[in-house]
Amino acid sequence: MKVAVVGAGAIGAYVGAALDRGGAEVHLLARGAHLEAMRERGVTVLSERGDFHAHPHATDDPASIGPVDIVFLGLKAYSYRDAGPLLAPLLRPGTGVVAAQNGIPWWYFHGLPGPYEGRRIEAVDPEGAVSAAIPLESAIGCVVYCSAEITSPGVIRHVEGTRFSIGEPSGVVSPRCLAFSEAMVAGGLKCPVVPDLRSDIWLKLLGNVAFNPVSVLTRATMGAIAEHPGTRELVLSMMRETASIASCLGSLPKISVERRFEGAAKVGEHKTSMLMDFEAGKPLETDVLLAAPVELARLVGVPAPTLELVHGLIDLLTVEARALASS
C-alpha cells in the first residue's frame, strides 16, 4: 500500500513511522526544520510501548510522490480548504483521504440517508471550499484516540492511545478501508473499520465541545474545570445539549454524558490541545468543535443556549487575539 501523510506533524509522523514499520510505502509531506530532520535522520518515536525508528521518504513536494492509495490527512481542519494544491498530485480515482480531524467533518451529511442527505454545513465547509479541495467521494472519516507531540525536529513522543477508528461516510465497509486498517495494524496501531462512525464522532465531541473552549476562556486544566462547581455545571450543560443534537440526527452517543464527563475529568491536570494552541498563538479549531454543533442545533431545532453563549465568547476572544497579534 502506498500512503502519503499530508501534514506530518506529531500525529502524522507517528502514523507514518508506524506504517513504514509495518511494510507500507510511506511518503511524509512536511516543511521547515521538522522536514529537514526527517529527510536526514528519519522519524524517531519515543513511547512507553517501545521506542522505534523509521526512515520513510519525506518531502515538501507532492508532485514527487504521485498518486497514492491513501492520503492520511494530518492537517488541522481549518487548513483543509487550502489543501487542494497539496492533494491534487496525490489523487487518482479510488484514492481515499483519511481525515484525522476533531469535531464535525465537512462530509457529515454525505451518503447519510434522510432529510439532510447531501446538505453542506457552512461552519466546516464555507461556500463549499473544503468539498472543492477534498472530493467527497475520496473522504474517509477518522476519529483519533491518540496523543503525541514533537519534542524536537524528527523526534515524536507518543503520549497515549493507538486507536484510529475509520469509516466511509456511507457506512459501507470498503476494500480501501480494510486495506488501510490492515496496514495500520501491521504497524502496531489499532484501526477498526466502523460502519457507524458518526456515533464515534459525537462521542469524542461530547468532551471536546466543552472542555476545549472552556479551558481557553479560563486558562484552566481539565481537572480544575471538572472540580470547580461552576465550570463543572457549564461543561455538563454543553455536553447535554450536544447529546440532544446528536440524538435528533440519529447518532445518540454510545455512553451517557455523565460517564463521558467522568472519563474526561480523570485526565486531571492536563491542558487541552486548544488551550496549548491558544497559548502558542495558533488558530483554534472552533469551527468544527463549536460553530458546527451550533449550526446543527439550529438545523434540527434543538435549544442550545449554553453552546451559543460559549461560542459567542470564544469567537470574540479569538477576534481580539488576532487583532492584538496584528497590532
Side-chain angles (χ1 to χ4, degrees):
M1 169 168 277
K2 184 177 179 181
V3 180
V5 179
V6 176
I11 292 293
Y14 173 60
V15 168
L19 287 167
D20 182 83
R21 178 174 64 170
E25 178 188 341
V26 178
H27 304 265
L28 306 179
L29 201 64
R31 60 187 180 183
H34 185 50
L35 168 61
E36 293 308 313
M38 293 191 295
R39 274 175 167 163
E40 294 175 11
R41 301 185 296 277
V43 180
T44 298
V45 175
L46 308 177
S47 173
E48 291 184 358
R49 302 177 72 248
D51 300 346
F52 68 94
H53 181 80
H55 203 154
H57 172 241
T59 181
D60 58 0
D61 179 16
S64 70
I65 300 171
V68 299
D69 299 309
I70 292 288
V71 174
F72 183 88
L73 201 55
L75 302 171
K76 292 286 191 178
Y78 51 72
S79 300
Y80 286 5
R81 71 184 73 180
D82 300 318
L86 293 176
L87 294 175
L90 307 173
L91 303 182
R92 56 166 175 73
T95 296
V97 178
V98 177
Q101 69 163 99
N102 287 318
I104 302 295
W106 84 98
W107 53 260
Y108 189 86
F109 288 119
H110 176 62
L112 180 65
Y116 307 115
E117 184 173 4
R119 186 183 181 94
R120 180 170 55 81
I121 303 173
E122 183 67 23
V124 297
D125 191 10
E127 299 182 350
V130 177
S131 295
I134 311 172
L136 286 167
E137 62 270 17
S138 297
I140 296 175
C142 179
V143 180
V144 178
Y145 299 93
C146 173
S147 176
E149 61 185 15
I150 299 174
T151 60
S152 62
V155 180
I156 309 298
R157 185 172 76 89
H158 170 241
V159 179
E160 62 179 354
T162 59
R163 182 155 63 97
F164 296 78
S165 298
I166 63 171
E168 297 279 358
S170 66
V172 172
V173 178
S174 65
R176 65 184 184 180
C177 279
L178 291 173
F180 182 66
S181 174
E182 290 173 3
M184 292 279 276
V185 171
L189 305 178
K190 298 176 182 177
C191 189
V193 181
V194 182
D196 183 18
L197 192 68
R198 290 174 181 84
S199 290
D200 286 50
I201 288 170
W202 285 106
L203 179 59
K204 187 173 183 184
L205 183 60
L206 277 185
N208 287 344
V209 74
F211 279 98
N212 278 271
V214 171
S215 72
V216 173
L217 292 170
T218 62
R219 310 296 196 275
T221 64
M222 293 177 68
I225 292 168
E227 289 177 9
H228 187 275
T231 50
R232 178 185 179 92
E233 288 308 311
L234 174 65
V235 165
L236 283 168
S237 179
M238 295 176 73
M239 293 174 76
R240 291 181 184 118
E241 290 174 6
T242 302
S244 295
I245 300 164
S247 180
C248 283
L249 288 169
S251 292
L252 183 67
K254 297 174 183 177
I255 64 174
S256 69
V257 163
E258 288 71 23
R259 185 177 168 191
R260 180 70 176 88
F261 176 89
E262 294 303 327
K266 288 178 182 177
V267 174
E269 299 308 302
H270 171 76
K271 289 184 178 182
T272 68
S273 58
M274 184 177 281
L275 177 55
M276 289 189 282
D277 284 345
F278 183 77
E279 291 177 339
K282 297 179 180 179
L284 305 183
E285 291 187 298
T286 52
D287 289 343
V288 293
L289 293 181
L290 199 49
V294 167
E295 183 178 336
L296 292 174
R298 294 170 181 168
L299 175 66
V300 299
V302 171
T306 316
L307 291 174
E308 296 260 12
L309 173 63
V310 173
H311 177 241
L313 292 173
I314 200 77
D315 188 54
L316 177 59
L317 180 64
T318 54
V319 168
E320 292 295 314
R322 284 196 297 267
L324 183 63
S326 62
S327 63

